[in-house]
Structure formats: C-alpha cells, structure tokens
Amino acid sequence: MLGFFITFIALQVVLFAAELTPWVQQFFVVPWTNALAAISASLVTLFDPNVVATGKVLRSTVNGFAVSIEAGCNGIEATIVLVAAIFAFPAPWRARFVGLVAGIVAVQGLNIVRVISLFYLGQWNMKVFEWAHLYVWQALIMLDVLVVWLVWIRMLPGRGREPGGPSGGAPAPASA
Amino acid sequence: MAGSSRGSLGAFVAKVFAWLPVTFVVWYFAAPVLLWPAAFIVELVTRWGLADIVQGIERARAELTFATTLKPGSASARAGEIAVAVDLLLYSFGLPLYAALVLAAKVPGWPSRLVVGYAVLMPFVAWGALADFLKNVAITMGPQIASQTGFVAWQREAIAFSYQLGALILPTVVPVVTWVLTHRAFLDRLRPRMGVA
C-alpha cells in the first residue's frame, strides 16, 4: 500500500511539473486543448449549426457567448491522475496499456460533455454556469477517474496478485 | 453496512450520485462554519510566516480578505494598502465529493471516516487559499507589487507551482485518495475477482 501511494504521488508530481513546462505546453497542452474545442464544436454542430471553434474558444455565432478551455478544464490534470494511479498499481503492462487507453477515452469523453454542457449552461444562466464550472464538474471528472480506476482494477486478471495494492498485502480491517 | 458493502460498483456509483446534490448543498450553506479550520490555518501561517506583508485577514462567509502592507505603486508611495480576496469554496469542493463517497459506501464507522477526511482536507484547503494569495501578490499583480514582497525568482516559481498544484490537482485528488485509504476493505469487496491480497 505504501509503495502504491508513494509511486502514485511521485508520478503525479513529475507529470504535473512536466505539464507546466513551456515545451509540453507548446507541443502538447495547447494543441490538445485546441483539438478539444474543435471536437466539441464538431459534435455541437450536429444539432446546433451556430457554433464555431477558434483555437481553444467555443463560440456561438448567434449571441456571441463563448467559453475558453483553460487549464483544469482540458482534462489533462484528470488524465495525469489516472495515469499515475494505473502505473502505480501492480499490474501486467498489457493491462496497464488497455486501462490507459480506455481510461483516457472515458475521461476525455466526459470532459467533452463538460465543455459542451458549460457552453449551454453559460448561455442560460451564469450563476448555474459558475457553480457547474467551479465546483460540480470538477468533482464529477475526478469521480469519473475513480470509477474508471475501480473498474480497471476489478478487471485485472488473477486473485490477490497485488502485494502493494490498496489491500496492502494484509487482511482488510474488520471494522471497514 | 454489509448490504451496501457487497453491492456492485454500479450501485455504489448510483449512491454517490444520489448523495452529491445533498452534500454540495450542505457544503455551500455550511461553508462559513465548515471552513473555519482552514481559515484558522491560513491565519496562523500568515501570522508566523508572512507577517511582513499581511496585516490581517477578514472573513466573510467563505471568503478571506488579506489586508496587506503592499502599496499599489512603489513601496515608498503614500497610498492605501492592497487587499486580496480569496474564495475558500474554490479549494474545498472536494469536501462534498468525499462526503458523498463516504455516505455511499457507508461502512461501519463511517462517521469517524467523515471526521478523518474532513481533518485531512482542511490543510489542503488552506494550501490552496495561501497559494492563491501569494500568486496574486508575487506574480499576477505585476512587478511593482511583487518587488515589495521580497520574493526572489525561485520563490516565485515555487509559488506558481504551489498554486497550480493547489488549484488543479489537490482539491480533487486529496479527497479521493483519502477515501481510498480509509475504505480499503470496502474496495476489496468491490473487487470480487481479486479478493484480499
């Protein structure tokens, strides 16, 4: 358990620090955020043609309302947490790879739902938008990460194969 | 609660979703009381470590207003001091998430787990608020104010990193990690194929 926890924290700090470097920002974060806006716009235009994406901004051509996808809203931090949790947990590399791909799709998929929902919530009611943006969606995205990780460890092959996992190699406390 | 513990992951997630609106409402309206310990930690830290730039802190609901010794212009200019407001809600939304997870799992002794999680989260809420304040005075407000704080380049880098960590990672990760650590047996029951190692 301690090994898992230390590795999880260390991986997060390293990946998060890497994310903040200018090189990663320029060649990964910014292009990814722009792609997120473009994907969101292409999905929205299936039912609402009055939406365009410019860079990381999603804008309504009818009323001019726009949302800019900033740090914390591009799903990268949530993905970092998921990557750290999957790599810190003892598992076969193949299972890790499958978990990573499926997990990133799940997290980023929900993040696109977040961006689109905020785009419409903001046009409807700014108070609700602020609540959803600052508090609710942040919690939901992290809940998504937790559920994806729980599903993943549930699908890992074998029994009792993780001496360093959350079971800590010891019987679980009877009180829990 | 054996019935809940043996439930499926889907049932657990459904319970979390059922509890989230309740915990969010309680958190929002009880914030002035719930976040008092975090505000107290912030006051202690500023009194001991930032007394040269913070004169005092005022609380209004979940908002802290740092009254500083910093001047809007140069340090020698005769003008009013700068005040910086920080919203504790921005760094404490992990509380309702943690509470919803605990209430959805509802293992024996869940009230004590609520208390433990609450105690664990408070310093991290204080971290976010302090880093927010420091980021404002050392970076966002510009070089004239930053120069009065006395922070050197590496300290400003550390403040920027602490702020990003405290705003983007810690508010959501700490409650989830705390929940995992305090619900290991529950997690084992959610993982029937793996059992207890």
Side-chain angles (χ1 to χ4, degrees), chain A residues 1 5 8 12-13 16-17 20 71-72 77 81 89 131 134-136 138-140 142-143 146-147 149-151 153-162 166-173 175-176, chain B residues 8-9 12-13 16-17 20 24-25 27-28 87 89-90 93 97 101 107-109 113 161 164-165 168-169 172-173 176-177 179-181 184-197:
Chain A
M1 183 63 184
F5 187 66
F8 174 65
Q12 266 190 93
V13 171
F16 187 60
L20 297 178
E77 290 77 19
V81 175
F89 197 86
W131 244 83
L134 296 174
Y135 315 130
V136 178
Q138 303 273 44
L140 291 181
M142 193 47 61
L143 181 62
L146 174 66
V147 171
W149 184 71
L150 289 175
V151 169
I153 59 174
R154 193 171 180 153
M155 294 176 74
L156 285 174
R159 282 181 73 87
R161 50 163 308 288
E162 20 71 88
S167 298
S175 63
Chain B
S8 68
L9 181 57
F12 168 68
V13 174
V16 175
F17 273 102
L20 270 176
F24 261 108
V25 168
W27 162 76
Y28 184 75
D87 187 358
L89 292 178
L90 291 174
F93 58 79
L97 173 61
L101 289 168
V107 297
R113 285 169 166 79
F161 184 76
Q164 299 274 12
L165 197 64
L168 300 177
I169 296 281
T172 49
V173 170
V176 169
V177 168
W179 181 80
V180 167
L181 291 175
R184 289 159 58 190
F186 177 79
L187 287 174
D188 283 328
R189 282 191 288 272
L190 280 181
R191 295 183 294 135
R193 291 178 61 187
M194 298 186 70
V196 175

Side-chain angles (χ1 to χ4, degrees), chain A residues 29-48:
Chain A
V29 175
V30 171
W32 173 253
T33 309
N34 292 347
L36 200 61
I39 292 168
S40 300
S42 64
L43 288 173
V44 167
T45 50
L46 292 176
F47 57 87
D48 181 356

